[in-house]
């Protein structure tokens, strides 16, 4: 019997603080018995699996009423953790909730560690490791698209993508090990070519999953996007337009923005930290000089830099030279409502082949197209992936890279004429690496690292 099977844990499953309802969750072999000790003696046999009962909670010694609560009993193995689970829904008073948890601990329950409920669900095979990670991703989602991808992974869609790879590897391992067992049945050239072709097919699928990580990383982690340019070109106005609200102060006076200002929004599901920077120019003003230095720092830290110039006014030579030294991903020609007077040849001399977009930060003209242009630039290298086939987790990405390396080694060994014993070692390594993703290959350090990032009560 495992350690977890002998203990019963308790934690608050709703956020701390005041609320209409607070839910306390118990999981373990004694969950039902401990919860019943808070009920009146005549009501202690009222638990029916998967039904909710309304009962008073009493102090086990003084018999004073603590609260009236709803209790839901989930009998093992048909619960979130696979163990007996009781959820106690009290009024959302921190004092009441703390008292109920304190009494349950005094009766023998243990305070749950971060992620311990989900860890038990994983160890009891209620979900695999990708699904467990998806729960954490869903809780911390900042955009609806992030939530959608996490919900798909929670339903096991990533595991479904990986299963055919594992099945194919197992089939080949069995084939090779049979060849080792029956040494008189050596592989002929046709068998070798067929097996190489099969492994190449698996390699292509793994490469496709790996290549989706560039987009997946953007969706999961987001980017920093900096708006730069000389004073009064409309950076703060465009900042407000992209956010859809007046966040930055906008005046006609150059140098109004003297420090970096950042806000979060999303572009087609990709989280973006948008940074409005101080105008870049030579100045003797001490405060403005500090702002310019912070602008340079923001440029260095940004994943995507947009330089803003005026559509009807030629930048000075110093500005053009500065742009040539910076990692600019997109030029925006602002104030296009006043009429674009710069010739195309002149624009190209400034942007040096960098993509351009035209907007009016004052009227909002072209801002939607700019958002789409930014999204297209961020996902330019991404293929057309189904949502369930996007890798968003760095751990999954590295495991797939290890899988790919092992598969490629297997094809190299086949081509070099090595024996079946050598090839099968690489195939086993590929299978082990895939197992790391779903948790079938248990590595305690990885497991501990994953679940300590969860909140308590989940």
């Amino acid at each position: 019997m495992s350690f977890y099977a002998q203990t019963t844990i308790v934690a608050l499953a709703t956020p701390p603080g005041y609320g209409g309802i607070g839910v306390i969750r118990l999981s373990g072999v004694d969950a039902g018995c401990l919860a019943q000790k808070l009920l009146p003696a005549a009501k202690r046999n009222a638990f029916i699996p998967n039904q909710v009962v309304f009962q008073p909670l009493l102090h086990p010694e003084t018999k004073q009423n603590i609260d009236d609560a709803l209790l839901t009993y989930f009998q093992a193995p048909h619960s979130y953790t696979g163990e007996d689970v009781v959820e106690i829904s009290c009024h959302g008073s921190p004092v009441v909730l703390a008292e109920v948890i304190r009494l349950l601990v005094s009766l023998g329950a243990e305070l749950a560690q971060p992620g311990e409920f989900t860890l038990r669900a994983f160890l009891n095979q209620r979900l695999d490791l990708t699904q467990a990670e998806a729960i954490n991703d869903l809780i911390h989602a900042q955009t609806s698209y992030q939530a959608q991808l996490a919900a798909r992974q929670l339903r096991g869609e990533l595991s479904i993508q990986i299963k055919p790879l594992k099945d194919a590897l197992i089939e080949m391992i069995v084939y090779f090990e049979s060849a080792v067992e029956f040494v008189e049945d050596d592989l002929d050239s046709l068998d070798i070519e067929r097996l190489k072709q099969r492994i190449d097919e698996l390699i292509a699928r793994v490469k496709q999953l790996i290549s989706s990580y560039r987009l997946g990383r953007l969706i999961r982690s987001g980017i920093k996007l900096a708006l730069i340019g000389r004073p009064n070109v409309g950076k703060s106005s465009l900042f407000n337009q992209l956010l859809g609200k007046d966040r930055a102060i906008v005046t006609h006076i150059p140098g109004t923005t003297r420090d970096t200002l950042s806000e979060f929004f999303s572009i087609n599901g990709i989280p973006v930290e948008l940074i409005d920077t101080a105008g870049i120019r030579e100045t003797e003003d001490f405060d403005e000089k500090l702002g310019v230095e912070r602008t340079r720092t923001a440029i260095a830290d940004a994943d995507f830099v947009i330089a803003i110039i005026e559509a009807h006014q030629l930048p000075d030579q110093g500005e053009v030279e500065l742009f040539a030294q910076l990692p600019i991903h997109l030029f925006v020609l602002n104030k296009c409502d006043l009429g674009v007077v710069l010739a195309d040849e002149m624009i190209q001399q400034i942007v040096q082949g960098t993509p351009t977009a035209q907007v009016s930060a004052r009227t909002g003209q072209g801002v939607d197209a700019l958002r789409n242009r930014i999204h297209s630039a961020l996902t330019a290298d991404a293929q057309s992936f189904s949502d369930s086939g996007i890798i968003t987790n760095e751990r999954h990405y590295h495991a797939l890279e290890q899988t790919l390396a092992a598969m490629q080694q297997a094809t190299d060994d086949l081509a070099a004429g090595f024996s079946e014993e050598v090839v099968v070692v690489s195939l086993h390594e590929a299978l082990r690496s895939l197992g790391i993703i779903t948790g079938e290959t248990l590595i305690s350090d990885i497991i501990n690292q994953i679940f300590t990032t969860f909140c308590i009560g989940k």
Side-chain angles (χ1 to χ4, degrees):
M1 181 178 291
S2 70
F3 170 75
Y4 286 115
Q6 303 172 47
T7 60
T8 298
I9 54 175
V10 62
L12 182 65
T14 46
Y18 297 93
I21 292 177
V23 178
I24 295 167
R25 178 181 282 168
L26 281 158
S27 181
V29 66
D30 294 326
C33 295
L34 294 178
Q36 287 179 6
K37 289 181 180 180
L38 300 182
L39 303 183
K43 303 291 185 180
R44 291 185 180 177
N45 294 320
F47 278 176
I48 301 174
N50 304 320
Q51 289 192 17
V52 182
V53 294
F54 177 70
Q55 298 290 348
L57 300 180
L58 305 181
H59 192 289
E61 295 178 0
T62 66
K63 306 305 178 185
Q64 288 185 324
N65 185 283
I66 303 169
D67 195 10
D68 292 326
L70 295 170
L71 292 89
T72 309
Y73 172 48
F74 303 93
Q75 190 175 45
H78 306 294
S79 69
Y80 176 71
T81 62
E83 304 170 333
D84 282 351
V85 170
V86 177
E87 292 185 352
I88 305 173
S89 300
C90 303
H91 292 94
S93 162
V95 174
V96 169
L97 296 168
E99 177 66 5
V100 173
I101 291 174
R102 186 190 69 80
L103 289 172
L104 289 169
V105 170
S106 71
L107 292 170
E110 297 182 5
L111 290 174
Q113 297 300 312
E116 190 170 351
F117 287 94
T118 305
L119 175 59
R120 291 185 177 209
F122 165 68
L123 294 176
N124 290 322
Q125 299 182 346
R126 295 292 292 168
L127 39 75
D128 67 27
L129 202 51
T130 67
Q131 292 173 297
E133 290 169 306
I135 292 170
N136 207 27
D137 290 345
L138 187 57
I139 290 171
H140 292 97
Q142 296 176 310
T143 71
S144 60
Y145 192 41
Q146 285 178 324
Q148 289 171 19
L149 289 182
R152 287 171 181 259
Q153 187 170 313
L154 179 55
R155 292 196 295 270
E157 292 194 10
L158 178 57
S159 303
I160 292 170
Q161 295 275 332
I162 291 172
K163 188 176 185 303
L165 296 173
K166 293 194 296 187
D167 290 345
L169 283 171
I170 291 171
E171 182 182 342
M172 282 190 288
I173 287 170
V174 169
Y175 184 85
F176 275 105
E177 297 210 344
S178 298
V180 172
E181 187 71 23
F182 302 100
V183 293
E184 67 275 7
D185 297 330
D186 291 336
L187 296 176
D188 60 30
S189 59
L190 288 177
D191 285 335
I192 293 173
E193 193 58 38
R194 180 176 57 82
L195 290 167
K196 282 176 58 182
Q197 183 177 354
R198 182 63 177 131
I199 297 174
D200 286 342
E201 291 171 359
L202 300 182
I203 286 174
R205 178 57 185 142
V206 172
K207 283 183 175 179
Q208 186 181 28
L209 287 171
I210 288 173
S211 64
S212 74
Y213 179 65
R214 183 182 183 277
L215 176 59
R217 182 180 60 82
L218 292 177
I219 295 170
R220 181 186 177 94
S221 304
I223 65 160
K224 289 185 176 182
L225 191 159
L227 303 177
I228 69 168
R230 62 177 173 78
N232 215 32
V233 294
K235 296 185 301 299
S236 295
S237 296
L238 184 58
F239 181 86
N240 290 338
Q241 284 284 359
L242 288 170
L243 292 177
K245 62 181 179 181
D246 290 336
R247 176 66 177 85
I249 297 173
V250 177
T251 74
H252 67 282
I253 303 171
T256 299
T257 303
R258 297 197 169 195
D259 197 357
T260 56
L261 178 67
S262 66
E263 279 285 342
F264 289 90
F265 77 120
S266 68
I267 297 178
N268 295 351
I270 296 176
V272 177
E273 181 184 359
L274 185 62
I275 304 168
D276 183 22
T277 63
I280 301 176
R281 67 172 175 179
E282 295 296 327
T283 177
E284 297 303 319
D285 184 281
F286 178 75
D287 291 337
E288 198 171 350
K289 274 186 175 181
L290 287 178
V292 172
E293 285 303 313
R294 292 187 179 182
T295 294
R296 294 181 181 277
T297 301
I299 293 170
D301 292 341
D303 302 294
F304 198 90
V305 177
I306 294 179
I308 303 172
I309 60 177
E310 290 182 306
H312 65 291
Q313 182 174 333
L314 184 67
D316 61 43
Q317 187 59 33
E319 188 178 356
V320 173
E321 291 174 357
L322 176 63
F323 287 153
Q325 300 170 14
L326 297 176
I328 296 170
H329 299 85
L330 182 66
F331 277 91
V332 168
L333 280 66
N334 188 27
K335 305 182 183 179
C336 66
D337 54 311
L338 302 179
V340 178
V341 297
L342 294 179
D344 289 342
E345 296 80 3
M346 196 172 296
I347 293 173
Q348 286 305 315
Q349 289 179 9
I350 299 168
V351 304
Q352 294 293 311
T354 303
T356 63
Q358 296 182 13
V359 303
S360 169
R362 185 178 66 85
T363 67
Q365 176 185 343
V367 173
D368 287 340
L370 175 61
R371 290 192 186 97
N372 292 332
R373 176 66 71 85
I374 295 169
H375 182 266
S376 297
L378 293 174
T379 60
D381 297 333
Q383 301 173 15
S384 179
F385 303 106
S386 65
D387 290 343
S388 58
I390 296 177
I391 301 299
T392 61
N393 188 302
E394 185 177 5
R395 189 182 69 82
H396 303 165
Y397 169 72
H398 288 307
L400 285 168
E401 282 198 317
Q402 292 169 2
T403 301
L404 177 63
M407 286 181 173
Q408 289 175 330
Q409 184 62 53
T411 59
D412 291 344
D413 291 342
L414 272 175
F418 285 111
S419 65
E420 293 87 346
E421 294 98 324
V422 175
V423 177
V424 82
V425 169
S426 295
L427 294 179
H428 271 295
E429 178 60 24
L431 184 62
R432 189 194 73 85
S433 298
L434 283 179
I436 288 174
I437 297 175
T438 56
E440 291 161 288
T441 303
L442 284 176
I443 299 177
S444 59
D445 288 345
I446 292 176
I447 301 298
N448 292 335
Q449 184 179 0
I450 288 170
F451 287 101
T452 52
T453 64
F454 281 55
C455 56
I456 293 175
K458 197 60 183 172

